[in-house]
mmCIF file of all heavy atoms in Angstrom:
data_model
loop_
_atom_site.group_PDB
_atom_site.id
_atom_site.type_symbol
_atom_site.label_atom_id
_atom_site.label_comp_id
_atom_site.label_asym_id
_atom_site.label_seq_id
_atom_site.Cartn_x
_atom_site.Cartn_y
_atom_site.Cartn_z
ATOM 1 N N SER A 105 5.678 25.348 29.475
ATOM 2 C CA SER A 105 5.999 26.460 30.373
ATOM 3 C C SER A 105 4.871 26.697 31.375
ATOM 4 O O SER A 105 5.132 27.020 32.538
ATOM 5 C CB SER A 105 6.304 27.729 29.585
ATOM 6 O OG SER A 105 5.182 28.155 28.872
ATOM 7 N N LEU A 113 4.703 27.066 41.405
ATOM 8 C CA LEU A 113 3.796 27.641 42.401
ATOM 9 C C LEU A 113 3.373 26.596 43.436
ATOM 10 O O LEU A 113 3.298 26.890 44.632
ATOM 11 C CB LEU A 113 2.576 28.241 41.709
ATOM 12 C CG LEU A 113 2.844 29.502 40.894
ATOM 13 C CD1 LEU A 113 1.613 29.877 40.075
ATOM 14 C CD2 LEU A 113 3.262 30.641 41.799
ATOM 15 N N TRP A 119 5.988 24.678 50.675
ATOM 16 C CA TRP A 119 6.812 25.140 51.795
ATOM 17 C C TRP A 119 5.964 25.943 52.782
ATOM 18 O O TRP A 119 6.136 25.823 54.000
ATOM 19 C CB TRP A 119 7.995 25.968 51.295
ATOM 20 C CG TRP A 119 9.059 25.107 50.696
ATOM 21 C CD1 TRP A 119 9.222 24.813 49.379
ATOM 22 C CD2 TRP A 119 10.084 24.398 51.393
ATOM 23 N NE1 TRP A 119 10.292 23.969 49.205
ATOM 24 C CE2 TRP A 119 10.841 23.708 50.430
ATOM 25 C CE3 TRP A 119 10.446 24.281 52.734
ATOM 26 C CZ2 TRP A 119 11.931 22.916 50.767
ATOM 27 C CZ3 TRP A 119 11.530 23.491 53.063
ATOM 28 C CH2 TRP A 119 12.262 22.821 52.089
ATOM 29 N N ARG A 141 10.357 17.567 50.385
ATOM 30 C CA ARG A 141 10.251 18.728 49.500
ATOM 31 C C ARG A 141 11.494 18.899 48.642
ATOM 32 O O ARG A 141 11.409 19.339 47.499
ATOM 33 C CB ARG A 141 9.954 19.977 50.322
ATOM 34 C CG ARG A 141 8.470 20.055 50.631
ATOM 35 C CD ARG A 141 8.151 20.887 51.835
ATOM 36 N NE ARG A 141 6.720 20.899 52.110
ATOM 37 C CZ ARG A 141 6.058 19.935 52.733
ATOM 38 N NH1 ARG A 141 6.692 18.862 53.138
ATOM 39 N NH2 ARG A 141 4.759 20.036 52.949
ATOM 40 N N VAL A 173 -5.415 13.237 48.621
ATOM 41 C CA VAL A 173 -5.474 14.353 49.562
ATOM 42 C C VAL A 173 -6.791 15.116 49.429
ATOM 43 O O VAL A 173 -7.296 15.647 50.421
ATOM 44 C CB VAL A 173 -4.261 15.289 49.359
ATOM 45 C CG1 VAL A 173 -4.342 16.500 50.266
ATOM 46 C CG2 VAL A 173 -2.970 14.533 49.605
ATOM 47 N N PHE A 197 -2.972 23.487 41.484
ATOM 48 C CA PHE A 197 -1.781 23.678 40.655
ATOM 49 C C PHE A 197 -1.199 22.341 40.199
ATOM 50 O O PHE A 197 -0.758 22.207 39.061
ATOM 51 C CB PHE A 197 -0.715 24.488 41.394
ATOM 52 C CG PHE A 197 -1.001 25.960 41.432
ATOM 53 C CD1 PHE A 197 -0.873 26.669 42.607
ATOM 54 C CD2 PHE A 197 -1.389 26.644 40.296
ATOM 55 C CE1 PHE A 197 -1.131 28.029 42.656
ATOM 56 C CE2 PHE A 197 -1.654 28.000 40.328
ATOM 57 C CZ PHE A 197 -1.522 28.692 41.505
#
Side-chain angles (χ1 to χ4, degrees):
S105 64
L113 290 171
W119 285 95
R141 278 157 182 80
V173 177
F197 283 134

